Every structure is written in structure tokens, then in C-alpha cells.
Amino acid sequence: MSNAIAVKGLPGLPEKVILPDHGEVLSLGIWHASSGLEPGDDARMEAMRLLVSLAPVFGPPKFPQVRNWLQRVNLGMSQPASTTDFDARMPVISDAIMGFMAGVFTIETSLEAIRRFKWFPGGAELAEFLETKASQIRFAEWQLRQVAEFVDRRPPPKPAPTQAEKDAVAEILGGLSGYRKFDIQEPVRSIDEQIAELKRGSEEKK
């Protein structure tokens, strides 16, 4: 899974989304978030389309799908559980794994389970096994939503000042400039200079 470089205010956006066990490498086009560019409308529309078409993968499974998956895993064990034992355990085990999305219950994952387990596993073991695959699918869905629901969180650029605003600022600055010129023409005298002037004035009066 490849992510574009994120910049301040922009999320890290995926260039490709990989959906495990469904033969999908969902190319959404490449853009450069490092340049501050947002995904184009074509990328957003494609991400939205994929979210809709893959809703059965991301959504909850149906009970027959889980039951068939468990039956396939059981038949692949070195010593499969008997029909009576399987029928007794299956409802309880299925309750432990029904919270996963439908996308984890595939032929590919059943084959992985057959290669991993020698005996028919319990609910806790199957939940731990399926969690890795589920986390990959959750991440793929999250990546698609990052594109489909992209929001540019950067603050909008400040509008250019109008001519009236420019004139008002120029008038204020012009007034300040005149005030400063007046100050420069009559510099502030030091305390010693003011005392000396007072002394001179008192002597002249004498």
C-alpha cells in the first residue's frame, strides 16, 4: 500500500488501494499531496464507485456464508469434526466471528486456515486468525474514503485588498509620515539641555 507524502493541513492520500483476497489493486490515479494538490474529480468519483460496488465486501456477512466457510475449513482438517459435532459447535463458533466483515470469508482465507490449523479451531482461534485479514480490509476502506470524502482543511487564502482599502491605508500612513517629519524638525532635548536653557533665561532676567 502506497501513500503520497502528506503536507501540513492535508491528509496522507493513497495512490493505490490493495484489497486482499479479492484480486483487486484499485489504482486511483497518482497526485502529489506534497504540492498541496487535492485529488481530482475523476479519482473521487472512482473511489465513490468502488465504495458502492464493494459494499458487500465491507458490510456484514450473511449466516449461510459463514456456515459454508466453516464447513470448508472443517473438511480440510486432518481429522474433520463429525457432522453431529460440527452441527453442535457451528452456531456457537459462528457467533464469535459474525462481527467480521463479509470480505474475510473467502475461499482464499479458508485455504489459509486449512494450512494453519491441524484440528478444527475454536472461536477464539478463528477470531484471531481473521483479525489480520479484517484489519487489511478496514485499511483499504479507509483509504477509499480518504479520497471519496476528501476535505481540504487548509485555511482559505485571504482576499486581495480592494482599492478603497488601499487608499485608506495610504491616507493613514501619509498622516503618520507627516507627524514623524514634525518630530524630526523639532527633536526632543535632553534634561541637561533643558536645565541649561532655564539657567540662561534666569541670568538674562538679572
Side-chain angles (χ1 to χ4, degrees):
M1 300 176 186
S2 175
N3 280 18
I5 299 173
V7 294
K8 187 175 181 180
L10 290 174
L13 300 175
E15 295 170 0
K16 290 184 184 296
V17 176
I18 299 174
L19 192 62
D21 294 340
H22 293 271
E24 296 278 0
V25 178
L26 313 175
S27 178
L28 302 178
I30 297 176
W31 58 91
H32 301 284
S34 57
S35 301
L37 301 178
E38 62 183 74
D41 291 339
D42 54 343
R44 291 187 188 181
M45 293 300 295
E46 178 66 4
M48 291 179 192
R49 184 191 69 78
L50 289 168
L51 283 170
V52 172
S53 64
L54 294 171
V57 174
F58 299 138
K62 295 186 179 345
F63 181 75
Q65 179 186 8
V66 177
R67 180 191 60 208
N68 293 339
W69 188 85
L70 288 172
Q71 286 177 335
R72 183 179 179 86
V73 172
N74 180 51
L75 291 175
M77 297 294 100
S78 298
Q79 292 185 357
S82 66
T83 302
T84 302
D85 187 27
F86 179 82
D87 290 344
R89 296 180 62 193
M90 190 271 297
V92 179
I93 294 176
S94 63
D95 286 344
I97 59 178
M98 282 290 291
F100 290 103
M101 69 284 293
V104 301
F105 300 104
T106 63
I107 293 176
E108 288 78 9
T109 57
S110 68
L111 292 175
E112 287 184 35
I114 290 169
R115 289 190 290 266
R116 175 170 176 174
F117 301 108
K118 186 175 181 179
W119 313 103
F120 190 62
E125 295 165 303
L126 285 174
E128 181 181 0
F129 166 75
L130 292 171
E131 176 56 36
T132 299
K133 197 66 62 178
S135 64
Q136 294 173 344
I137 294 178
R138 289 190 204 103
F139 184 63
E141 181 182 14
W142 175 83
Q143 286 184 302
L144 287 173
R145 292 194 181 280
Q146 287 294 295
V147 180
E149 303 169 4
F150 177 84
V151 176
D152 189 342
R153 294 181 175 84
R154 293 172 297 174
K158 294 181 180 180
T162 63
Q163 187 59 46
E165 291 172 333
K166 292 179 180 179
D167 293 342
V169 171
E171 183 177 352
I172 292 172
L173 292 177
L176 291 175
S177 176
Y179 179 76
R180 286 171 183 155
K181 288 180 180 178
F182 177 79
D183 285 345
I184 293 172
Q185 291 172 359
E186 296 187 10
V188 177
R189 292 171 296 171
S190 67
I191 297 296
D192 292 339
E193 290 175 333
Q194 293 182 51
I195 293 174
E197 184 177 350
L198 289 173
K199 288 181 178 179
R200 284 195 300 271
S202 61
E203 290 176 355
E204 290 175 357
K205 289 179 180 179
K206 291 178 183 179

